[in-house]
Amino acid sequence: MRSMTFTKPLVALVAVAGIGAGSLVTAGTAVAAPSGKQQAVASESVAPLAVVNLGLTSAEAQKLQRWLKTYFGYTGAIDGQMGTESWKALQRFLRQSSGYTDAIDGIVGPNTVKALQRWLKSAWGYTGAIDGIAGSGTQAAFKRFANGLS
């Protein structure tokens, strides 16, 4: 009788320990080697969006994309989303028109904005500083330019 009293708790303890160990092993495996599908989802959610319309509506951005396609080698969709390829074409234009000397990389950084501001100041009524910050004055002049396109 005495051994029976001791055996039941021991069996229960071993069972709980085994279940716990199995869970730990499974959890460790899942953390150490996630499936490819989980990695793909994580990569997609971390990828930055490269659409920078600088205040343009989709219709205004489409006008600009058509102009860039005609004159500056834009090959993307006319979708109203100023993405990397749209900005590469705009950088090619800015290289010709306002002394842009950085890489044609489609990144809307301060040097791209400064070149845009110089050009907008010369032709589209931009009166602000050439500071590389696309504030309300830069965006308003950029809209005037886009709306002036056919």
Side-chain angles (χ1 to χ4, degrees):
M1 184 100 178
R2 208 165 175 207
S3 65
M4 185 85 138
T5 306
F6 180 69
T7 305
K8 281 184 177 180
L10 182 61
V11 170
L13 182 62
V14 170
V16 169
I19 292 169
S23 297
L24 288 174
V25 169
T26 304
T29 304
V31 170
S35 72
K37 187 173 185 177
Q38 288 172 330
Q39 287 176 339
V41 170
S43 296
E44 288 174 25
S45 63
V46 174
L49 297 175
V51 174
V52 182
N53 277 21
L54 287 187
L56 298 183
T57 65
S58 290
E60 292 164 340
Q62 286 173 336
K63 287 181 186 181
L64 182 54
Q65 287 173 323
R66 281 191 288 276
W67 181 77
L68 292 169
K69 186 175 208 105
T70 301
Y71 298 106
F72 293 97
Y74 174 63
T75 58
I78 307 298
D79 59 4
Q81 301 296 305
M82 294 291 292
T84 302
E85 294 306 313
S86 297
W87 281 100
K88 282 181 182 179
L90 194 61
Q91 287 170 332
R92 285 191 287 275
F93 162 69
L94 292 170
R95 180 165 281 168
Q96 281 185 1
S97 64
S98 66
Y100 176 74
T101 58
D102 269 359
I104 304 296
D105 57 8
I107 297 171
V108 189
N111 290 334
T112 300
V113 174
K114 284 179 185 178
L116 179 61
Q117 288 170 329
R118 279 191 300 274
W119 186 75
L120 292 170
K121 188 168 260 201
S122 73
W124 293 96
Y126 176 65
T127 59
I130 308 299
D131 58 6
I133 299 169
S136 60
T138 302
Q139 290 182 26
F142 196 42
K143 281 175 114 19
R144 282 191 295 278
F145 164 60
N147 284 317
L149 298 170
S150 53

